[in-house]
Amino acid sequence: MERTKINARQMFVLIVLFEHGSAIVIPLGVSARQDVWIAILLGLVFGVLLFSVYSCLFRFYPDKPLIVYMQDILGAPLGKFLGTIYATYFLYIAARVLRDFGELLLTFAYPETPLFVLNAIMALVVMYGAYKGLEVLARTGELFLTLLYVLALSGFVLVLVSGIVDMSQLQPVLEEGWNRVWKTVSTETLYVPFGEMIVFTMLFPYMNNPAKVSRVAIAGMVLTGVNLAIIAAINVAVLGPDVASRSSFPLLDTIRRIQVAHFFERLDVLFMIALIIGGFFKISIFFYAGVVGAAHLFGISRYQRIVYPLGLLVLLLSVAIASNYAEHIYEGLKIVTFYLHIPLQIIIPVLLLVIAAIRRRFGSSTK
């Protein structure tokens, strides 16, 4: 394990940047239409409950990451098998977020540029950041979080001043009852971004004050959930529920409508900067967790040795996972949710907690 340590503030920054990540880019929860903000807040509530499982596991094994302590819980053969699945999962989700990043750049600014080239530029930066280590990522995050919030507040003020917000678009609330909202929570907003906190089970041992892990993580999740709910509500209030639900990038379409005194307009660059910041940290954290996990599994003393080979793998996978953006989104909402997110974010961690609790209760352990 890397010897570096980060403090509570730096962990909070990483969580906030990670949770925003691609969630501000993709059409998160738009199937709930004008009730999307409710679906996001409910996803936050259940996400915090789910995080309590990860937190309990961390309290049982405060000095070990997930891929290591599952071998203590389940024994080495089964633990290493599941550890391999989780390391692969982290790298795969890094590739999916990288694809989100590339697709948006294609749509927004570089329609004639090959997707591979755009993804390669980001991948090289991510690989370099992971090679330098978690502490460097955390210190970089402290600088960029301030910039991200300055951009967000500027965009929020400009949207309000431009007079394009129509709050009546958010009505009627719960037009079709709770069914549509619950369906959106159970298939989308619980898992992305809140269930993705599973990746931080690989990072919590690096925190210099383990007692603050739960408070820091929950504070970061709550702040992010509120922010995402506000962003989603503004998107619907500006675009309307029909347009917002069909848009590939609702926030981008909202920002494109800003026009103040025929001077402040075409502010897509604000969105682009936010995308690059959030995308970089989300990809980096998933990638770092996957690389460190693989190093633990294969007994590699310095994880830096496999950063660039695995980085190349993630880059190639980001291009190969889908033939177009529509297929990519369909896989993310339908296939990944049911075959990866639900078992790896919910079922297996709950089972690990139950088994760990039983072993601690009866004083037995598997070596």
Side-chain angles (χ1 to χ4, degrees), residues 5 29 64 80 111 183 193 206 241 243 282 290 303 343 356-357:
K5 291 289 184 180
K64 298 179 181 179
K80 285 189 174 182
K183 182 179 179 181
Y206 297 112
V243 175
K282 187 157 191 176
Y303 75 90

Side-chain angles (χ1 to χ4, degrees), residues 22 25-27 92-104 115 119 249 317-337:
S22 59
V25 176
I26 62 175
Y92 174 72
I93 299 301
R96 292 198 64 84
V97 180
L98 182 58
R99 179 62 178 263
D100 291 332
F101 169 85
E103 289 285 357
L104 181 57
L115 177 65
N119 285 5
F249 307 108
L317 185 60
S318 72
V319 178
I321 53 178
S323 58
N324 54 58
Y325 185 68
E327 181 181 330
H328 171 65
I329 290 296
Y330 175 81
E331 289 176 358
L333 294 179
K334 303 298 181 181
I335 299 175
V336 174
T337 295

